[in-house]
C-alpha cells in the first residue's frame, strides 16, 4: 500500500511579546463573547418563536453587533476567529440535533478554554515564520519537530492553557504516512488500574499513576490557594501554581500513552480492546480518580487513529462480554467472581488463571471471532448470580 494523505495537527509552544499576548487575550475574550451572544440569540429564537437560526443569520447578527456602541470593540480584533466561533456553534447545534451531543453551553470566562482559530486568510506562513492578523511580527515558536516537507497550514489555532503556557496548533495535510508492513500478529488488551494494560501475551504494563505521584504537592498547593484573598494577585499566582501541577501530570500521562500505543500498533496487525463506557465508570466515587488518571478513553482514541494511519485493525468487544469470568481454556463461565479475586482456578478443567491475563486472552479470542465471522459478541447483561457482567479491574480503594 502507498502513502495516505491525512490531516494532522502539529502543536508547538510559543512565547508572545507583551503586545502579542494582550492582542491575543483580547481576541479570546471577543471569541467567547460572540459565541455566547449567538448561543443566546439562537436559544431565544427557538424557545420564543420556535425558529431555527443558522450560521448565516448569526453572521449577519455579528455585523450588526459591531455597529453598536456597546459592542464596537468586536471590530478591533480579527474577524476570522469570530466567524470561526459561529461555525463551531453551528457544528455544536448540528451534533445536538443529531443526538450526538448535549445542548451547547455558554462559555465561562474562568473555566472555558482560551483559544482562537485562524483560517488561511488571517495568517501568513513563510520561511518557517507564522504571523497572525493584527500582529505586527511573527510568533516566537519553538519548533520542537519539523512540519512535513512543503506543508502549508490550512488553519491555525492559538490557545493558552490554565498554567499560562501559550500554544499554536497548525493543521496540515501530511502525505507521507505509509502503512507499516503486515505482521500477522494479534493481541488482546485488557485495561486496568493495578496495571495500566495487560496483554494476552502475559505482559503487564505498569500503571505510572502520574496523579498519585504529585498528589501531596497538589494538596499543599490547593491549601495555599484556599488561604488567599479572592480577587488578589497572590490568589491568581496560587491558582497558576496548581494549574502547572495539573499540566505536568497531563503531559506525562499523554507521553506514556503515546509510547504505549505506538508500540502496540507497530508490533501487532490486530489489536482487540474492550468497549468500555468510561463516563459511566466514573460514577463510581471510589475509583473515579484512578480511572481518570489511567485515561482509558485517551488510550482508545490514540490506538484507533494510529491504527488507521498505519494499516492496522482495532476491534472493540462488547462491554458486557464476561471476559474476566470466562475460562480461556475450556470456556466455562464462573457464577461469581468478587473483585478481590486476582487469580482463580477453573472448576471444570482445573487450570489456574491470572484474572487480567485471562481477560485479555478472552478478548483476543472474541475479537478474532468478530473479525473472521463478522458477528459481534453477544451481550450478557446479567450473570446467573445477578451480578453485572461488566468487568471492574481493581478491588482496592484508591487512597
Amino acid at each position: 500500500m502507498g502513502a495516505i494523505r491525512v490531516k494532522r495537527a502539529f502543536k508547538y509552544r510559543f512565547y508572545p511579546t507583551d503586545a502579542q499576548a494582550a492582542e491575543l487575550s483580547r481576541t479570546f475574550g471577543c471569541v467567547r463573547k460572540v459565541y455566547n451572544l449567538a448561543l443566546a440569540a439562537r436559544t431565544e429564537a427557538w424557545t420564543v418563536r420556535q425558529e431555527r437560526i443558522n450560521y448565516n443569520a448569526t453572521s449577519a447578527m455579528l455585523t450588526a453587533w459591531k455597529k453598536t456602541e456597546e459592542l464596537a470593540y468586536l471590530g478591533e480584533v480579527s474577524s476570522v476567529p469570530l466567524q470561526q466561533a459561529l461555525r463551531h456553534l453551528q457544528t455544536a447545534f448540528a451534533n445536538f440535533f443529531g443526538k450526538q451531543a448535549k445542548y451547547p453551553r455558554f462559555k465561562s470566562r474562568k473555566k472555558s478554554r482560551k483559544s482562537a482559530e485562524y483560517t488561511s486568510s488571517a495568517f501568513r506562513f513563510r520561511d518557517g515564520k507564522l504571523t497572525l492578523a493584527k500582529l505586527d511580527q511573527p510568533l516566537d515558536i519553538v519548533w520542537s519537530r519539523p512540519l512535513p516537507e512543503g506543508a502549508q497550514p490550512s488553519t491555525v489555532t492559538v490557545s493558552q492553557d490554565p498554567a499560562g503556557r501559550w500554544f499554536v496548533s497548525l493543521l496540515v495535510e501530511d502525505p507521507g504516512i505509509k502503512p507499516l508492513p503486515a505482521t500477522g500478529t494479534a493481541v488482546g488488551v485488557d485495561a486496568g488500574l493495578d496495571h495500566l494494560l495487560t496483554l494476552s501475551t502475559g505482559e503487564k504494563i505498569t500503571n505510572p499513576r502520574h496523579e498519585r505521584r504529585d498528589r501531596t504537592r497538589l494538596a499543599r498547593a490547593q491549601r495555599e490557594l484556599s488561604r488567599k484573598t479572592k480577587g488578589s494577585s497572590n490568589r491568581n499566582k496560587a491558582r497558576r501554581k496548581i494549574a502547572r501541577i495539573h499540566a505536568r501530570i497531563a503531559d506525562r500521562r499523554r507521553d506514556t500513552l503515546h509510547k504505549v500505543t505506538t508500540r502496540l500498533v507497530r508490533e501487532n496487525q490486530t489489536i482487540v480492546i474492550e468497549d468500555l463506557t468510561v463516563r459511566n465508570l466514573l460514577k463510581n466515587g471510589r475509583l473515579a480518580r484512578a480511572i481518570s488518571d489511567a485515561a482509558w478513553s485517551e488510550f482508545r482514541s490514540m490506538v484507533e487513529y494510529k491504527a488507521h494511519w498505519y494499516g492496522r485493525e482495532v476491534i472493540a468487544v462488547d462491554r458486557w462480554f464476561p471476559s474476566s469470568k470466562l475460562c480461556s481454556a475450556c470456556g466455562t463461565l464462573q457464577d461469581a467472581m468478587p473483585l478481590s479475586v486476582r487469580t482463580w482456578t477453573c472448576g471444570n478443567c482445573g487450570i489456574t488463571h491470572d484474572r487480567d491475563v485471562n481477560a485479555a486472552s478472552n478478548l483476543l479470542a472474541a475479537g478474532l471471532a468478530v473479525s473472521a465471522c463478522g458477528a459481534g459478541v453477544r451481550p450478557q447483561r446479567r450473570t446467573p448470580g445477578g451480578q453485572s457482567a461488566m468487568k471492574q479491574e481493581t478491588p482496592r480503594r484508591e487512597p
Side-chain angles (χ1 to χ4, degrees):
M1 295 176 61
I4 60 175
R5 306 178 73 90
V6 298
K7 289 283 189 178
R8 293 184 64 182
F10 289 78
K11 190 174 182 178
Y12 304 94
R13 190 170 179 180
F14 75 96
Y15 297 86
T17 63
D18 291 341
Q20 289 175 337
E23 179 63 28
L24 291 173
S25 296
R26 186 166 58 163
T27 302
F28 295 159
C30 291
V31 167
R32 182 180 64 251
K33 182 66 174 180
V34 167
Y35 186 94
N36 288 342
L37 287 173
L39 176 55
R42 294 182 70 145
T43 301
E44 180 184 3
W46 176 253
T47 55
V48 176
R49 303 185 299 275
Q50 296 295 300
E51 176 187 356
R52 287 190 182 183
I53 296 180
N54 58 18
Y55 162 76
N56 292 332
T58 53
S59 181
M61 290 180 181
L62 174 58
T63 302
W65 293 334
K66 291 180 179 180
K67 295 178 180 179
T68 63
E69 182 178 354
E70 181 183 3
L71 300 174
Y73 62 87
L74 295 177
E76 299 175 1
V77 301
S78 173
S79 63
V80 173
L82 307 185
Q83 294 290 345
Q84 290 300 101
L86 299 179
R87 290 189 174 93
H88 293 163
L89 180 61
Q90 178 66 28
T91 301
F93 270 102
N95 292 335
F96 168 71
F97 289 118
K99 298 183 179 180
Q100 298 177 352
K102 294 183 179 180
Y103 193 82
R105 294 181 297 180
F106 290 96
K107 292 184 180 293
S108 166
R109 179 181 179 184
K110 294 183 178 180
K111 297 181 180 180
S112 296
R113 179 171 180 260
K114 299 178 181 179
S115 66
E117 184 177 273
Y118 296 78
T119 58
S120 56
S121 62
F123 67 84
R124 184 175 66 253
F125 183 72
R126 294 176 183 172
D127 301 325
K129 295 184 178 180
L130 177 67
T131 306
L132 302 178
K134 300 292 184 177
L135 300 185
D136 56 354
Q137 55 183 308
L139 299 179
D140 182 14
I141 300 175
V142 179
W143 298 101
S144 53
R145 54 176 175 165
L147 289 172
E149 186 176 355
Q152 284 294 324
S154 57
T155 61
V156 169
T157 302
V158 179
S159 61
Q160 184 185 27
D161 69 3
R165 302 179 301 178
W166 294 84
F167 295 95
V168 59
S169 179
L170 287 73
L171 183 65
V172 303
E173 188 176 72
D174 188 353
I177 295 182
K178 299 180 180 179
L180 296 171
T183 63
T185 59
V187 67
V189 181
D190 181 66
L193 298 179
D194 282 347
H195 295 87
L196 181 63
L197 301 172
T198 301
L199 308 184
S200 56
T201 58
E203 179 185 355
K204 295 187 175 183
I205 298 175
T206 303
N207 185 354
R209 289 184 166 86
H210 298 293
E211 185 272 339
R212 181 187 289 183
R213 289 169 57 186
D214 279 343
R215 190 173 296 176
T216 301
R217 182 183 176 195
L218 180 61
R220 185 184 302 114
Q222 289 171 332
R223 287 195 298 270
E224 292 175 359
L225 175 66
S226 68
R227 293 192 290 265
K228 306 301 181 183
T229 304
K230 289 186 177 181
S232 66
S233 297
N234 285 336
R235 184 178 178 86
N236 189 48
K237 292 178 183 178
R239 182 193 61 77
R240 285 286 180 89
K241 183 177 181 180
I242 294 174
R244 284 195 295 269
I245 297 174
H246 280 297
R248 171 186 169 91
I249 294 171
D251 289 345
R252 292 187 306 192
R253 180 187 299 127
R254 192 177 304 110
D255 179 67
T256 297
L257 291 178
H258 271 300
K259 292 175 180 177
V260 170
T261 53
T262 298
R263 178 195 151 196
L264 287 175
V265 169
R266 285 178 176 173
E267 296 179 353
N268 301 280
Q269 185 66 33
T270 303
I271 303 169
V272 183
I273 60 177
E274 192 171 12
D275 185 21
L276 296 172
T277 50
V278 178
R279 180 177 298 178
N280 291 340
L281 294 175
L282 290 175
K283 295 177 182 178
N284 185 330
R286 296 187 304 120
L287 302 176
R289 173 181 277 183
I291 292 173
S292 296
D293 194 27
W296 293 338
S297 293
E298 191 170 5
F299 162 76
R300 176 171 179 173
S301 175
M302 286 185 181
V303 77
E304 284 181 338
Y305 81 72
K306 290 179 183 180
H308 171 69
W309 284 359
Y310 298 111
R312 303 310 200 201
E313 182 182 18
V314 175
I315 301 174
V317 174
D318 191 288
R319 67 181 65 96
W320 298 104
F321 177 64
S323 56
S324 294
K325 298 191 296 182
L326 190 67
C327 176
S328 58
C330 67
T332 301
L333 180 65
Q334 306 301 305
D335 290 339
M337 186 177 296
L339 294 176
S340 58
V341 176
R342 309 313 295 175
T343 60
W344 57 279
T345 302
C346 177
N348 184 48
C349 65
I351 295 180
T352 300
H353 296 287
D354 179 284
R355 180 191 183 104
D356 298 331
V357 175
N358 177 69
S361 298
N362 284 326
L363 289 173
L364 174 60
L368 294 179
V370 171
S371 179
C373 305
V377 178
R378 182 179 179 181
Q380 184 162 340
R381 297 287 174 177
R382 293 287 169 184
T383 64
Q387 298 296 320
S388 169
M390 182 168 62
K391 174 169 45 52
Q392 299 181 45
E393 293 305 323
T394 178
R396 303 193 219 349
R397 181 189 181 95
E398 280 293 304

